[in-house]
Amino acid sequence: MITLKSPREIKEMQKSGQILAGMHIGLRDIIKPGISSWEIEKFARKYFKEHDAIAEQIGFEGYKYATCVSVNDEICHGFPRKNLILKDRDLVKVDTVVNYHGAMSDSCWSYVVGKSTPEIDRLMEVTKNALYLGIEQAQVGNRIGDIGAAIQHYVEDENGYGDVREFIGHGIGPTMHESPNVPHYGEAGQGVRLKEGMTITIEPMVNIGGWEAEMDDPNGWTARTADGSLSCQYEHTIAITKDGPKILTSQDPERDKKYLLDD
């Protein structure tokens, strides 16, 4: 079922999103060579507790952690691990969901550890640009397919990367995963029509190689690129409003100026 949110509910989701964004900003000083990926989990749990928020992923379908920490060829749903020590040129994706007094927000961000490479920098730039091309299509009256088509054309046709099919965005609030599904591929003019009050995630996952994923990890959760290539992801929670799409998990008020809710 698709739920339409009131302006008050969207403002509450923005408060949740600001907490989530603050956690991601804090990780910029945490993620460095020599730490374990478990340090990311510890930081997130502490940050959410200090801000009176709940790490909603803990307990979801048996998942045990506040964060998903996926490294290099791991596309998504990587476990934070005490024995995984980060090193220069690792590409780390941190995905988490926050519940703040019943209001949900969901965001993934990518970080390069220590020294980067031109290959990693370009992948991160293309993935972030793809996110924003999708956000621009999240207008009242457009369709879900407009979001996916814009992302797929940019990722695959213009840049030659793989646009992951197996994992997609979704509606959010008052629960973590709701209708509608929001694929990052598809045909313009197809799918559910976007209405004022819908809240969705847009979260393209982009591989340097092919788009195919392997999901045979013994932990039952982690997905990897089928060809072993690097994968990147960025995700925002978005509200569909009469004034255009509004980012509820913004980390960059300058870049996101046109997408922010009016106070």
Side-chain angles (χ1 to χ4, degrees):
M1 183 177 71
I2 297 174
T3 61
L4 301 181
K5 316 305 187 300
S6 67
R8 181 193 64 80
E9 289 172 314
I10 291 173
K11 289 293 289 186
E12 291 302 305
M13 291 180 69
Q14 183 188 41
K15 293 177 184 177
S16 173
Q18 288 172 338
I19 294 170
L20 180 44
M23 189 281 298
H24 275 303
I25 291 169
L27 285 179
R28 298 173 191 175
D29 295 326
I30 299 296
I31 295 176
K32 60 187 66 175
I35 73 160
S36 74
S37 68
W38 183 255
E39 294 301 316
I40 295 170
E41 173 78 3
K42 285 173 56 179
F43 177 82
R45 289 190 185 214
K46 183 173 183 288
Y47 191 94
F48 295 153
K49 184 176 181 179
E50 290 174 347
H51 289 80
D52 195 27
I54 296 170
E56 189 69 14
Q57 288 182 169
I58 297 176
F60 177 75
E61 296 183 356
Y63 194 75
K64 298 179 181 180
Y65 309 105
T67 61
C68 295
V69 182
S70 307
V71 181
N72 295 332
D73 67 330
E74 296 173 344
I75 297 172
C76 59
H77 303 159
F79 288 7
R81 286 150 282 181
K82 295 179 180 179
N83 62 352
L84 177 58
I85 305 302
L86 301 181
K87 60 186 184 303
D88 282 327
R89 293 176 287 278
D90 279 341
L91 181 54
V92 180
K93 290 79 66 175
V94 181
D95 190 3
T96 188
V97 181
V98 165
N99 179 338
Y100 179 68
H101 298 182
M104 299 282 182
S105 62
D106 186 356
S107 179
C108 179
W109 218 248
S110 291
Y111 307 83
V112 63
V113 180
K115 298 175 182 177
S116 188
T117 68
E119 180 182 55
I120 293 171
D121 291 343
R122 181 169 177 266
L123 175 63
M124 294 175 75
E125 179 183 21
V126 168
T127 308
K128 188 180 289 186
N129 287 344
L131 168 64
Y132 279 86
L133 286 169
I135 290 171
E136 185 59 30
Q137 292 299 316
Q139 310 278 350
V140 172
N142 278 2
R143 293 185 180 273
I144 289 291
D146 297 320
I147 297 172
I151 291 172
Q152 184 178 13
H153 174 68
Y154 176 72
V155 169
E156 296 190 338
D157 300 335
E158 295 188 16
N159 287 283
Y161 287 154
D163 182 18
V164 173
R165 311 283 203 273
E166 289 91 343
F167 302 94
I168 59 178
H170 51 86
I172 183 171
T175 57
M176 188 189 305
H177 289 161
E178 300 186 352
S179 296
N181 290 333
V182 185
H184 307 109
Y185 58 92
E187 297 183 22
Q190 301 296 310
V192 172
R193 192 176 297 279
L194 299 173
K195 297 181 180 180
E196 182 179 357
M198 291 172 65
T199 49
I200 62 174
T201 72
I202 300 176
E203 46 183 298
M205 303 172 202
V206 178
N207 304 337
I208 283 181
W211 59 263
E212 296 87 355
E214 288 187 351
M215 292 167 282
D216 56 0
D217 192 285
N219 68 28
W221 284 88
T222 305
R224 291 179 171 84
T225 58
D227 57 12
S229 64
L230 288 175
S231 185
C232 187
Q233 181 188 7
Y234 288 98
E235 173 189 14
H236 275 314
T237 296
I238 309 297
I240 311 300
T241 81
K242 60 182 175 57
D243 298 316
K246 300 300 178 182
I247 298 174
L248 305 182
T249 48
S250 173
Q251 300 180 37
D252 188 345
E254 188 60 36
R255 174 170 186 166
D256 297 343
K257 187 174 181 179
K258 68 179 284 189
Y259 299 120
L260 298 181
L261 287 171
D262 295 330
D263 293 329

